[in-house]
Amino acid sequence: MSNFIDRPRYLCTMGGAVSTLKALPRAISIIHAAAGCGGNFGNALNGAAGYLGSGYCAGQALPSSNVFERDIVFGGEERLEEQIASTLEIVDGDLYFVVTGCMVDIIGDDAVSVARRFNQQGKPVFAAETGGFKGNAYTGYDIVLSTLFRDFVEKRPVKNKKIVNLFGLVPIQDVFWKGNLNVLKDLIQKLGYKVNTFFGEGETIENLKQAGEAHLNIVVSDVYGVKSAKIFEEVHGVPYIVANLPIGPAGTKEFLETVGKALGVDELLISTVIAEEKARYYSYVERLADVYNDLDFQRYSVVVADANYAPALTRFIADDLGWLPELVVITDLLSEDEEKLVAKKFTTFSSGVIPKVVFDTDTSNVSKHFNKAWPRNNNNRYFNAFSPAFVFGSSLDREFSDSLGAAHLSVSYPISNRVVLDRAYLGYSGSLRLIEDVIGLLVGSR
Amino acid sequence: MDYIKEKAPPVREERLRACNAYGGSCGNLVEKSKKGCLNGIKRKFSQTQGCQLNLSLAIINTIRDAVVIVHGPVGCGGASLAQAGVNKGFQKLRDSNARGLIWVNTNMGENEVVQGGESRLRDAILHAEKEFRPSAIIIVNSCVPAIIGDDIDGVVEQAQKEVKAKIVPVHCEGFKTKIMASAYDAVYHGILRNLIPHEKIIQDEKTELETLQEKYRASRTVNVLNVSSMSRIDEYELVRLLKAIDLELNILPCYAHPDDFQKATEAALNVSICATHDDYFVEHLKEKYGIPFILRTIPIGVQYTNRWILDIAKFFGAEEAAQRFIDQEVKQLEEAIAPFRDIFKGKRVLIGGGEIRVVANAELLHYLGFEIIGLRAYHYDQFADEMLGEQDIIKQIPFNVATGQPFEQANLNHNLKPDLYVGHVNTNVWAAKQGIPVIPLFHQSQLFLGYTGIYEFARRLARILRNPSFNRNLKDNVHLPYFEEWYDKDAFSYIDESELQA
């Protein structure tokens, strides 16, 4: 299945681990790897992530053992031990997590044991093997989460029925993660529950530490965070459900119903929340009734995104916005089973629109799939063109978009042509932001 | 110098005894460097830096009409994700049809670690050729294939028989060296072996007059070696400076087309703007093609811009014309700068970045009226000895050799309390969070070089100093990740000289 990749849209396992830790409040990565690994991540996790910046202790500040040839020949454990000790002296964090690169994994450095020695002395030092060849950034996310769930989250035999955990939304890989988590927390709070997301606004490492008291884990992904949820269940006895990632009224209604049902929330409360939120949404969308129809703002669309965003976004485009998503390219590395799971999501849109869905990691293949999905004009006088069109993708898809003469909005990683702060695209409120951005582009030249 | 028969160049620890960890006075550093006793200093605490592969890509990603293959696990070269858009814009400044940055990663997984990644690399080469028909396919080799023993040169040799693009393998495995600048040698090594013909190309038959004209033109053409941190307008300024003494420029290697390197062998002189960037290339071009070179200084600031021009003029016997040009330029510049001098007078500045650029900026900022209170350089080698050694005014100030290492920078800034930080990309944020006004040491869309560069730099400085509220507000609201006690310690206390190799 795996092969070379034309412009991959993710880092390696360690890159994903470092980005996950970067998003975790006051968590400090300690990289045990060659000197350039962290430096390489620095740019990918800043300029390609809506200008996220170097963060509290990432970018060039990432502590790193910077092993080189001699350490690779003689082993790097001693150097790692020195680095962990000195990091604890200098760097002020709530949690320290050793991540390992390819080279030290290949030579067999036992970073986990080195970290454990510090842990046994009462230092909050954890570790996992995250050699880059193990997979991509999503793998790193699951490795860090499951390690923390197993080793850091406290055992709480007594559960609090009013607390849930939510994960599966991969920080940074979802460039809008922080705003999105706000939205999801807000929605579930309306059902009467407190939510730990670990990476959200106002949360600290304590939210993670106490996560074992939760009543339910909600995974908003068919593929990411599921492994971690299984480990959580094994270690802490907390069951999990998979809920859809909600964008717009159609998807968010389903999300609230799924979550509400799993938590045994009164149906009347669920329908009241849905009705109120929808009313608010339409009180704004109503404004566009003029321009949408006066200027014919329906568009053919192509979506290029990851396994989380692609179904959610496409459903919003088809069922809420009333557009015509014809082609969806999902750029993740997935197993066949995972592909089936994700593909199923595109077959049940209420609008009846069924887009062509392909799984392909390669950037230059997007236009090839398009050529297969929509016939070319062979100098016909009359031609049913793919126009007017809109491309939802990453900043790597601008060229494809230009080739169609389509408008383009960067919504999936990498995003280097937009600044993203607390913007969210999920839920009812997030989809209003999305509409502002999308329709905003269409009126931008007026 | 002749390493070209080897598949890979030596790393800089060996070739130049370069160092990337030092803290002490400038004077002391030069003295130690001249004795060759800086090699082998390390850190007990270190932060991430860059590796040869990252820095190789800084040059390689600029080459037009090329496809880059990163041979390694999927994260290697990931920094390019942030570059793709802006890179296309910069390429278009040289060629409006430029395609921008295209790269392929061989995505080595556990299977390839066990079974080798050679076939994956071969597939990627053939894909790059078929899909993009580029003029060159440039392969950067990462740590993993190096340690498992992939024979990338063997793969290239075979593939080259089937592929029209020139294939350039670059051996820049990150773990081989701590001196990131080894990348320059790795890239030039690949270029010298694969993009520059081994023998002079025999030209089509030409008339005697045409041959003479060409000869004359070549005798007035210099290769000016650019760096990826330069802007297009920097290049225009260098063209302007050398047009004054009637020279033509061939600008290499950044943003060049692969075919441009052939012409490199026809110039009368190689001129560097940064010795530590180019010595490997110019030494080899001299050795193989007899082209002399000038490798002394960078045209930043009055003193060094004058020197840069005069050194070149001397080679062509045009010193008088050059001096007339310089006198006129400096006079006009002085007048233009005068209104800014009061703003700068006595303001204290710390400068960080590449060694040559930092030392030249010390001279420039002193000229503008600043007081230099500290210097930081990504690495240090012999190429900065002359420029650093001759600036008496900064002999006693601290010089910190560190590739990044923002913890040392934060300590210096906290204790020295500069009024301005002039810094390298990715280091500026930390000074900003300490509330210090920041001006970037380089910027790919701004002018820094030559006389107009001095004026533009001064103009930007005055603007930035006029309202540093953004950074001042940051200081009150965000924190750097270090314990308070760190600032009480000596900034260089984690630098370990115990294994210093004399």
Side-chain angles (χ1 to χ4, degrees):
Chain A
M1 181 193 69
S2 71
N3 204 331
F4 59 81
I5 300 180
D6 170 353
R7 283 162 281 180
R9 297 156 192 247
Y10 19 74
L11 291 171
C12 59
T13 309
M14 185 166 70
V18 167
S19 65
T20 304
L21 292 160
K22 178 180 179 181
L24 200 60
R26 286 176 56 80
I28 310 295
S29 297
I30 300 175
I31 294 178
H32 184 36
C37 297
N40 174 47
F41 303 153
N43 286 328
L45 301 179
N46 170 18
Y51 301 88
L52 176 60
S54 295
Y56 176 64
C57 191
Q60 280 200 350
L62 283 166
S64 172
S65 62
N66 296 351
V67 288
F68 76 123
E69 201 156 27
R70 198 180 60 173
D71 307 291
I72 299 305
V73 175
F74 296 105
E77 289 179 23
E78 233 174 87
R79 172 69 195 107
L80 173 62
E81 190 159 356
E82 177 183 62
Q83 179 68 22
I84 297 174
S86 60
T87 302
L88 291 169
E89 280 170 20
I90 296 177
V91 181
D92 180 11
D94 289 340
L95 180 149
Y96 301 80
F97 198 114
V98 178
V99 294
T100 58
C102 299
M103 300 303 275
V104 301
D105 280 3
I106 289 174
I107 62 167
D109 271 6
D110 189 354
V112 176
S113 294
V114 176
R116 193 173 297 134
R117 289 204 287 277
F118 285 89
N119 200 294
Q120 281 160 355
Q121 294 160 25
K123 308 283 185 199
V125 182
F126 302 86
E129 284 189 7
T130 55
F133 54 79
K134 290 188 201 300
N136 67 7
Y138 295 99
T139 315
Y141 168 75
D142 260 317
I143 289 177
V144 167
L145 268 199
S146 43
T147 305
L148 290 172
F149 289 168
R150 204 179 47 229
D151 299 344
F152 177 67
V153 173
E154 285 179 358
K155 297 255 164 55
R156 292 295 177 92
V158 182
K159 305 301 177 194
N160 184 332
K161 288 220 143 87
K162 285 290 158 195
I163 295 181
V164 297
N165 302 318
L166 181 144
F167 46 91
L169 189 89
V170 184
I172 302 179
Q173 207 61 43
D174 171 3
V175 180
F176 304 87
W177 94 93
K178 196 122 181 169
N180 281 342
L181 289 177
N182 270 344
V183 168
L184 294 181
K185 280 167 84 162
D186 196 47
L187 284 172
I188 298 174
Q189 265 160 14
K190 286 200 160 73
L191 298 179
Y193 290 81
K194 184 177 171 273
V195 192
N196 295 312
T197 69
F198 322 134
F199 305 98
E201 244 176 53
E203 293 190 54
T204 70
I205 212 76
E206 282 301 307
N207 294 75
L208 177 58
K209 202 173 188 176
Q210 316 292 343
E213 65 177 346
H215 172 57
L216 181 72
N217 284 330
I218 301 164
V219 184
V220 287
S221 171
D222 291 305
V223 286
Y224 304 123
V226 178
K227 277 185 207 125
S228 306
K230 286 183 177 149
I231 283 170
F232 204 113
E233 184 165 18
E234 218 176 279
V235 179
H236 301 283
V238 179
Y240 75 93
I241 59 159
V242 172
N244 67 307
L245 192 75
I247 300 182
T252 313
K253 177 173 184 280
E254 184 193 323
F255 173 80
L256 284 169
E257 284 170 350
T258 309
V259 171
K261 197 174 156 204
L263 290 167
V265 178
D266 178 16
E267 276 180 35
L268 184 65
L269 175 60
I270 301 172
S271 59
T272 310
V273 170
I274 291 171
E276 279 173 7
E277 289 286 317
K278 207 163 95 176
R280 179 178 181 271
Y281 172 88
Y282 276 104
S283 76
Y284 287 105
V285 168
E286 182 255 343
R287 298 183 188 185
L288 298 175
D290 291 75
V291 73
Y292 186 106
N293 293 292
D294 286 342
L295 298 180
D296 181 10
F297 272 168
Q298 189 188 49
R299 293 288 180 267
Y300 291 108
S301 310
V302 175
V303 174
V304 188
D306 72 355
N308 279 0
Y309 254 57
L313 190 60
T314 311
R315 179 174 181 182
F316 168 73
I317 295 167
D319 292 355
D320 294 317
L321 211 50
W323 284 15
L324 297 163
E326 299 290 344
L327 173 68
V328 179
V329 182
I330 297 171
T331 50
D332 293 351
L333 284 161
L334 301 174
S335 70
E336 241 171 76
D337 288 345
E338 289 170 334
E339 285 186 3
K340 274 188 199 145
L341 216 52
V342 175
K344 223 169 67 190
K345 299 230 145 171
F346 295 89
T347 56
T348 56
F349 294 166
S350 64
S351 56
V353 172
I354 300 177
K356 183 178 180 190
V357 179
V358 293
F359 294 87
D360 197 319
T361 54
D362 290 8
T363 295
S364 58
N365 286 350
V366 173
S367 64
K368 286 183 206 154
H369 292 300
F370 176 78
N371 288 337
K372 279 186 222 154
W374 197 269
R376 275 166 182 266
N377 183 0
N378 295 316
N379 270 333
N380 296 328
R381 178 164 167 205
Y382 295 106
F383 174 65
N384 183 12
F386 192 76
S387 170
F390 199 105
V391 173
F392 297 83
S394 72
S395 49
L396 291 178
D397 304 305
R398 267 179 295 179
E399 212 164 284
F400 164 67
S401 175
D402 289 347
S403 76
L404 297 183
H408 166 267
L409 184 70
S410 290
V411 293
S412 56
Y413 185 89
I415 297 179
S416 60
N417 62 334
R418 300 182 64 186
V419 168
V420 178
L421 297 174
D422 69 347
R423 198 168 214 70
Y425 282 157
L426 297 192
Y428 296 95
S429 57
S431 58
L432 290 175
R433 295 294 82 70
L434 187 53
I435 292 173
E436 284 177 346
D437 293 344
V438 168
I439 307 290
L441 277 175
L442 301 187
V443 299
S445 61
R446 286 174 72 87
Chain B
M1 195 184 296
D2 190 5
Y3 296 107
I4 288 309
K5 288 187 193 78
E6 312 293 327
K7 283 178 181 166
V11 295
R12 291 215 168 171
E13 284 94 334
E14 290 166 29
R15 187 169 75 80
L16 294 169
R17 303 185 63 74
C19 103
N20 81 339
Y22 176 81
S25 74
C26 292
N28 212 338
L29 174 63
V30 175
E31 212 171 284
K32 279 193 166 173
S33 168
K34 284 182 173 160
K35 286 184 198 151
C37 56
L38 288 166
N39 205 2
I41 307 180
K42 15 172 235 182
R43 281 186 174 79
K44 291 177 180 167
F45 172 75
S46 54
Q47 290 167 307
T48 191
Q49 40 174 88
C51 64
Q52 301 197 73
L53 188 144
N54 306 151
L55 190 59
S56 292
L57 287 178
I59 303 176
I60 290 166
N61 282 349
T62 69
I63 306 285
R64 281 154 30 213
D65 196 23
V67 172
V68 179
I69 295 176
V70 181
H71 186 35
V74 75
C76 286
S80 297
L81 286 165
Q83 299 300 324
V86 69
N87 180 288
K88 186 172 181 178
F90 292 142
Q91 286 196 10
K92 277 176 176 285
L93 292 175
R94 281 79 177 179
D95 174 3
S96 56
N97 292 320
R99 248 191 313 207
L101 168 59
I102 296 168
W103 78 99
V104 174
N105 180 291
T106 57
N107 184 27
M108 292 178 77
E110 273 166 338
N111 270 342
E112 286 68 43
V113 170
V114 177
Q115 290 164 12
E118 292 177 10
S119 68
R120 191 62 78 75
L121 174 61
R122 186 182 144 76
D123 289 349
I125 295 171
L126 299 179
H127 166 80
E129 168 83 358
K130 188 167 143 258
E131 184 73 31
F132 305 106
R133 303 279 167 201
S135 298
I137 296 171
I138 308 175
I139 301 160
V140 292
N141 200 36
S142 75
C143 298
V144 169
I147 200 165
I148 65 171
D150 273 4
D151 175 15
I152 75 159
D153 295 280
V155 174
V156 167
E157 199 181 331
Q158 188 54 43
Q160 187 64 82
K161 293 175 195 157
E162 304 161 51
V163 164
K164 196 160 166 270
K166 288 177 186 154
I167 310 177
V168 183
V170 174
H171 291 271
C172 53
E173 306 84 13
F175 76 106
K176 289 249 168 90
T177 170
K178 284 187 174 177
I179 308 296
M180 207 165 80
S182 297
Y184 303 136
D185 305 349
V187 172
Y188 277 133
H189 191 85
I191 290 173
L192 284 159
R193 274 170 64 94
N194 300 283
L195 292 181
I196 292 182
H198 297 290
E199 285 126 41
K200 289 224 170 176
I201 297 168
I202 297 152
Q203 304 283 346
D204 299 334
E205 280 198 22
K206 291 204 171 106
T207 64
E208 205 173 324
L209 179 66
E210 279 171 341
T211 314
L212 269 174
Q213 279 170 336
E214 228 163 68
K215 237 182 173 172
Y216 176 75
R217 202 183 125 82
S219 75
R220 304 298 300 178
T221 298
V222 294
N223 293 325
V224 170
L225 305 173
N226 61 357
V227 297
S228 62
S229 54
M230 268 166 75
S231 67
R232 185 66 177 136
I233 28 178
D234 278 329
E235 292 175 2
Y236 288 141
E237 172 69 357
L238 298 187
V239 169
R240 187 182 75 89
L241 298 183
L242 297 190
K243 277 262 187 271
I245 46 173
D246 199 22
L247 296 177
E248 297 278 332
L249 276 69
N250 184 27
I251 297 175
L252 298 166
C254 298
Y255 298 101
H257 187 278
D259 295 344
D260 293 346
F261 291 96
Q262 287 189 9
K263 283 185 273 175
T265 58
E266 292 164 17
L269 179 69
N270 279 312
V271 178
S272 168
I273 70 143
C274 179
T276 204
H277 190 273
D278 301 321
D279 85 297
Y280 193 84
F281 190 53
V282 297
E283 291 272 11
H284 278 100
L285 285 178
K286 185 178 178 200
E287 178 81 25
K288 290 194 66 111
Y289 301 96
I291 305 172
F293 62 81
I294 294 173
L295 191 67
R296 191 171 165 207
T297 191
I298 186 166
I300 285 180
V302 172
Q303 181 182 340
Y304 295 123
T305 301
N306 292 353
R307 182 180 292 173
W308 190 78
I309 297 170
L310 280 173
D311 282 351
I312 298 166
K314 196 181 287 172
F315 178 85
F316 290 98
E319 287 146 290
E320 255 176 62
Q323 193 58 57
R324 270 199 308 277
F325 172 71
I326 288 169
D327 291 344
Q328 190 189 342
E329 288 285 320
V330 173
K331 185 166 166 284
Q332 283 178 4
L333 176 70
E334 292 270 3
E335 284 166 16
I337 295 283
F340 297 117
R341 288 196 180 273
D342 273 351
I343 306 169
F344 304 149
K345 200 173 174 197
K347 289 221 160 55
R348 303 163 74 251
V349 57
L350 191 125
I351 312 168
E355 58 167 349
I356 303 294
R357 200 145 186 159
V358 159
V359 175
N361 267 274
E363 193 282 326
L364 166 59
L365 284 151
H366 173 68
Y367 164 86
L368 292 175
F370 287 85
E371 181 194 346
I372 319 300
I373 60 168
L375 300 179
R376 302 187 78 238
Y378 266 36
H379 77 280
Y380 194 84
D381 57 31
Q382 69 206 35
F383 298 115
D385 285 349
E386 181 188 6
M387 289 165 69
L388 187 59
E390 70 192 356
Q391 293 184 45
D392 284 336
I393 197 116
I394 53 171
K395 265 207 170 103
Q396 300 306 319
I397 67 161
F399 197 112
N400 179 199
V401 183
T403 318
Q405 309 307 318
F407 77 110
E408 288 174 1
Q409 175 185 313
N411 182 308
L412 288 170
N413 273 334
H414 181 90
N415 291 304
L416 295 173
K417 297 187 172 44
D419 303 309
L420 175 74
Y421 174 75
V422 183
H424 194 284
V425 162
N426 296 332
T427 72
N428 293 325
V429 56
W430 312 111
K433 288 179 176 177
Q434 289 177 301
I436 302 164
V438 170
I439 186 167
L441 180 73
F442 57 83
H443 184 308
Q444 288 163 306
S445 306
Q446 291 182 342
L447 179 56
F448 287 82
L449 302 188
Y451 302 109
T452 54
I454 298 166
Y455 179 75
E456 287 300 315
F457 187 66
R459 204 167 72 80
R460 290 194 296 269
L461 269 170
R463 168 170 55 74
I464 286 166
L465 290 170
R466 207 169 138 207
N467 185 1
S469 298
F470 186 82
N471 291 1
R472 202 183 294 145
N473 295 335
L474 282 175
K475 183 191 179 181
D476 297 334
N477 293 286
V478 296
H479 300 282
L480 293 189
Y482 313 111
F483 289 115
E484 279 305 311
E485 296 82 62
W486 165 236
Y487 300 107
D488 300 333
K489 288 189 191 167
D490 184 277
F492 310 132
S493 42
Y494 285 85
I495 294 176
D496 175 8
E497 298 196 16
S498 62
E499 284 179 42
L500 194 65
Q501 294 152 18

